[in-house]
């Protein structure tokens, strides 16, 4: 069984602060996706990274896939209350890209 | 993109009963996925449903407890059978987002409470 550990589990910060969420595994993934989930909704895809060392930016969010494709990070610059939610990384297994393994989740709260 | 309609959005059920959750997609998709999200936790894949064949269940999940139907390329149901309080969770369906290589679209989930 492939496991994806996220850290921190919980994060409460003030508006304007920066933060980084980590997603680590001992297994190699063919792709790594990041989702955000708000209460009462399903997860919404933020980004997919597929190449070791790849960095993608989405406005204030920066995503990085580790060189060995075993880990990833999400960095948020100048967090806003709208960033509040549950952040989930999800790995696509080599050879079976349709099957996702979700990380343990990071619950972020951004206050004014 | 795909739009998924999942219902019911929530339900409170008596132990020992069964609940069927429906998932309707606005486009034809090959595979549909059913996940469970226990309170405060991440998502765990229950099974993958292909049209015209038996669903493939993940370790720890069995067909007798979670029977799945996939009658066509836009619809699937998941039944939670003989429920106990431990089945209280959010159940979500998901499909590969059309036109993307790795993206997935999720329904808004069914919040089930078993009393």
């Amino acid at each position: 069984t492939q496991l994806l550990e996220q850290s921190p589990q919980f994060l409460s910060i003030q508006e304007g602060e920066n933060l980084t969420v980590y997603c680590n595994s001992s297994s190699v993934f063919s792709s790594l996706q990041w989702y955000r989930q708000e209460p009462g909704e399903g997860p919404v895809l933020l980004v997919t990274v597929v190449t070791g060392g790849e960095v993608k930016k989405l406005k204030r969010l920066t995503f990085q896939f580790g060189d060995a494709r075993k880990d990833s990070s999400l960095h948020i610059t100048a967090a806003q209350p709208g960033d509040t939610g549950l952040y989930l990384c999800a790995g696509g297994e080599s050879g079976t890209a349709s099957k996702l393994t979700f990380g343990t989740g990071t619950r972020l709260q951004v206050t004014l | 993109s795909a739009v998924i309609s999942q219902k019911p959005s929530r339900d409170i059920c008596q132990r020992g009963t069964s609940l069927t959750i429906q998932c309707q997609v606005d486009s034809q998709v090959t595979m549909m996925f059913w996940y469970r999200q226990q309170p405060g936790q991440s998502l765990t894949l229950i099974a993958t449903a292909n049209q015209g064949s038996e669903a493939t269940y993940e370790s720890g999940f069995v067909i007798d407890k979670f029977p799945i139907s996939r009658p066509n390329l836009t619809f699937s149901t998941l039944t939670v059978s003989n429920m106990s309080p431990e089945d209280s969770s959010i159940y979500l369906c998901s499909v590969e987002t059309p036109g993307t290589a790795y993206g997935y679209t999720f329904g808004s989930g069914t919040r089930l409470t078993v009393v």
Side-chain angles (χ1 to χ4, degrees), chain A residues 31 33 35 37 40-43 45 48 50 86 88 97-100 102-103, chain B residues 31 33 35 37 40-43 45 58 92 96 102-104 106-108 111:
Chain A
S31 68
Q33 303 174 28
Y35 291 82
Q37 185 181 22
E41 300 294 329
L45 179 66
T48 301
V50 297
L86 177 66
L88 297 159
S98 295
K99 183 174 177 178
L100 287 182
F102 276 85
Chain B
M31 288 184 284
F33 306 91
Y35 287 86
Q37 186 174 27
Q41 311 247 337
S42 185
L43 278 70
L45 182 64
E58 297 300 305
L92 300 118
E96 292 179 284
Y102 296 97
Y104 292 82
F106 285 81
S108 55
R111 183 179 293 273

Side-chain angles (χ1 to χ4, degrees), chain A residues 21-94:
Chain A
V21 178
Y22 299 94
C23 174
N24 295 296
S25 175
S26 58
S27 303
V28 175
F29 289 97
S30 61
S31 68
L32 201 294
Q33 303 174 28
W34 284 92
Y35 291 82
R36 181 172 67 214
Q37 185 181 22
E38 299 185 33
E41 300 294 329
V44 175
L45 179 66
L46 296 174
V47 77
T48 301
V49 285
V50 297
T51 304
E54 183 176 3
V55 177
K56 280 192 174 179
K57 292 191 176 183
L58 184 66
K59 296 183 179 179
R60 295 177 292 102
L61 278 60
T62 302
F63 305 85
Q64 185 165 9
F65 201 11
D67 291 340
R69 306 209 315 274
K70 293 181 179 181
D71 56 84
S72 181
S73 64
L74 158 62
H75 182 80
I76 301 179
T77 303
Q80 299 177 359
D83 296 326
T84 294
L86 177 66
Y87 287 81
L88 297 159
C89 62
E93 297 176 13
S94 299

